[in-house]
Structures are given as C-alpha cells and as structure tokens.
Amino acid sequence: MKTKNFLRKPLSMIVAFTFTVMVCFWAEQAPASPATPEPEKSSIASAAGDEGEEPGFIEKEESVPAVKKGGKFPWLIVAAVVIIGGAAVYFLVLKKKNYTLTTTVGEGVTGTPTSGPTTHKKGTVVNYDYSLQSGYNDLSVTLDGAPVAASGTVTMNGDHTLAASATKTFVLTVSRGEYVNGNPASGTYTHARGSNVSYSYTPASGYSGLEVKIDGAAAANSGTIAMNDNHTLTANLQGANLVVNSTPAGARIYLDYVDTGHTTPYSFFFPSSKTGLNVYVRGSCGYREYHQTVNVLVGQTVTVSPTLTPGIREDFGIPVSSCWSPYYASDWKIFAATYRFRGSVSGGTANLFQHSFSGDYTVSAEINRLQGGSSYATSIFLGTTTSRTSAYGYWFTYRVNGGYGIYRFEPYNFLAGSGTYTLIKAGTSSAIKTGLDKWNVLKIVKSGSNYTYYINGTSLHTFTDSTYNPIYLLLNYYSGGILTEVRTDWVDLKPGGSGSSVPFVFANGNSGNEADAVKLNPMTGEAER
C-alpha cells in the first residue's frame, strides 16, 4: 500500500526515475581495461626461426604506451542534488498542510477574525467581516497589502496577512448667524483626529458687533481649531440670537408658525428682543414634531436643540406635513390651528399618514365634529396597508350621540362606506361628550395583539385579536352625502404600549353588548336590515 501511494505522487516518481537513469548512465561510462600486445620479434629471429635454427636471437621489446584514464562526470552528485532538492520542494511546499493567517484589527474597527495569527488547513475558506465603530471613518481592509471589501473570504492556499484599519474622526458643529459672512457655513462637519480646521468670519456690510465662540468661549474672528475632540463654533452678531439645532440634522424650522425656509442647524439674528417666540422643528416623516416657546433678549444667544424621536406629533399650528395623504384633498385644510375636513362626499373621507410603525404604540387624537349626522362615525383606523378601498385592520369610532364601536375590517372600502367587517364591541358611554361642536380625545393602546380603547381618559374596552398586525394610521370621517365638518386639533403616536389581555367572544356577529340584538352599520350607526 505504501509503494502504491508513493508511486501516485508525481514528484516521487520523477525523483525515482531521475535517480535510476543517472545510475545507469554512470555505469555505462566506466572505461574498459586495455589489452596487452604480443612481443615483437626482430627480423633476424624471424629468419632463424623459419630455417629451424635454435633460438639464439635477440628479441626487441617495445614499451606499451600507457592508456590515459578519462575523467568521470559526477553523476552521483547531480542525482543527489536532484533528489534532495525535489524532496525539499515536496515536503516544504507541496506537502505542507497548514498555513497562517496573520490578522491586524486597528482602533475603531469591530469584526472577526480578531488580531493575531491563526493556523488553518490548506484549502480552508476563512470568512471575515469588519465595520466601523461610532466616531470613526474610512474603513480600510487589505489582504496581503491589496485593498479588498469590508467582508469576504480568504482561501488558505498559502500564508496570508489581513488588516483592517479606520480613521478616528470628530464632529465640528458650526452655526453662522444671519448677516455674518465667512466660512465654514452652518452645518455639521466630520474631520480626522489631529487635523486643523481654519475659520474666518466678518459682519455683513452695514452690521457690526461680531462675536465668535468656540465651545462657548470667546474666540478670534479667524483662526484654526485642532480637531482632537468634538467642538462647536458659532459666529453671531451681538444682539438677540437664536440657534436652532436638531438630532438628526436637516429638520425644517418654523418661527411663529411661519416656515423660515431654513433647516437645522441655523442661527437667527434679531436686532431687538423677541419674547414668546414659537419655535417648531419638523423632521422627516416618522419623527415627532417639536415645539418650544422661547424669549430671546438682546445680548443673549438662546439655543433650541431637540433630539427628534420616532412617532407622530402634529398640533397643526404650522402647515400640515407632507406625510398626510387625504382622499378628497381639497376638503382638507389647516384652519384656526386645526386640520379641518369640510365636505359632502357620498361615503367617507380617509386621510392616511404615509409612514408605517411596527411593534407596540399608543395613538391619540383630539377631534370635534361640528356638522354632520349625529350617528355618523368619527374614527381612527389602524391598518395593515395603505389601501383605502380594500382596508384590513381595526377601526375605532365614536358618535356624537354617545355611541362608540370597535370593528375588524376584512376588507372595507372607506370611500364607498361598505365592506366586510366583524363587530368587536359597540355601546354607549357617558365619557363621550355628546352633541355637535364638542371635543373628544380618542386613544388606542396597542400592545402585541392586545388593544385598549379610551375616550377622554376612560377605558371603554380591551380585547385580544391576532388576525392582523396594523402598521398604518388613518383618520376616517363619514359624511354620507351631507355637509360635514370635522376638525382635528392634534394627532399623536408614540412607540410602545401596554394593555391587558381580554379576549372577546362573538355572539351573533356582535360582542354581548346592548347593540348585539341589532347589527349596526359601522359608518352610519344605523341598523342594517
């Protein structure tokens, strides 16, 4: 078996064959022994011999020339070199089974493999994956000195080196006020550790009193900042200054309900004091609107710097956000700091918030029906999709006559006011402020598959249903073809929720409530025949 395995190895066969050929060739090159010539007789001796005389002749012996032995080529040495060299190549290279991967992971990089040497069998595929830690930039990954992707594989067909490095960075937050010229402009900038950032500011023509600060301390109007930490740089005129920042940056800024056209970070200069100034900061869809009232006096710099949180918060004191998508859009307007629907559509209107919210959340809104049918629905719908004509989810309503209802739509067409549904709960409650032109606060807490419905702080019903997992919010006001006006003062959605688990039981399609005996139309509140 060993012989068979040996002969299977190409290098072993080559070495054996070479050795055999060399030995045979050497053996054939050995010179033969020279033949000894007969002694030569003289002519006299030859003649006497022929006549039969006694040998009394003188025989001349001539010397035999020496045969020079030729030099032998060192075939044995050559063969030995070939064998030893081949064996070295075989055992040190071809037969080597393990290789070393030497990894270096620098500061600010996380991932695997970590720093240090690791041994792997020949042909092993080693996975690697690296990413930046917070505060670092410019991830660089190299394999044997050549750039490669941040994640990938290394095939161990030899020794390799893998290195991952990053650059430590710091943030410079700049706020350049109105009527101030120079650079850098307002914004957030990232710089490598140890870099020097130049700045220079001057007041605009006709203005004076420039004040430059680094990290809140007075500084020259021009200079450099060594980026060995995060820093703030402000350049404002001495007067009343308002600095508005936000996290994340890029949020729209409204002052006293008017769009300034600026986004965070931005500095405002006022030649005189401002008291009771309403500051609104609105991020992109999916972030809650921020509002703060401030006093900005001459000689002061007031900073508003909110961290915007996920959810919905609109009190409609400023123009409605583009996140809302109302059907019959012309019937929806901002009016008296409310979001008003006024129209006489044949079915109902549906206004969708175009951002999804997964998991648990709490939704609330303050709503007032000023005109329309007293039994018509004023509702909040939590749906699984953005469809308004084939909606699946849970519908929470109240009526100005004191009634309320909870339905599961499967699906429903809001525009037509018809569809398939299951009644979860219906009834009346003294918590509802009855009659037209009354404000009522609706709140729904979603916790997993548990839902609790509140009106004006009073819990009306808690139930458990896992049929749907709603992620969209929709305002639904039924009109029924008559002039209807409904105003929404504010809408709020906060991630997170809590509620107890109380399964509901259907009885004849209803919930065991006083409304069980009659099946009510969810939109009109009227009995269906």
Side-chain angles (χ1 to χ4, degrees), residues 483-509:
L483 182 61
T484 299
E485 181 177 345
V486 181
R487 299 184 188 180
T488 306
D489 190 38
W490 49 264
V491 176
D492 190 284
L493 185 149
K494 294 179 181 178
S498 61
S500 60
S501 173
V502 182
F504 65 86
V505 178
F506 297 115
N508 300 322

Side-chain angles (χ1 to χ4, degrees), residues 16-90:
F17 178 76
T18 303
F19 177 73
T20 302
V21 171
M22 292 298 179
V23 170
C24 292
F25 189 74
W26 172 79
E28 290 178 357
Q29 294 301 309
S33 300
T36 304
E38 292 289 334
E40 182 179 343
K41 293 182 181 180
S42 68
S43 58
I44 299 175
S46 298
D50 293 338
E51 296 174 355
E53 296 181 357
E54 293 294 325
F57 63 92
I58 299 173
E59 185 175 279
K60 181 181 178 182
E61 290 188 8
E62 294 184 5
S63 61
V64 179
V67 179
K68 186 177 180 180
K69 189 175 181 180
K72 195 184 333 180
F73 189 77
W75 295 107
L76 283 177
I77 296 175
V78 173
V81 170
V82 171
I83 293 172
I84 294 172
V89 171
Y90 175 69

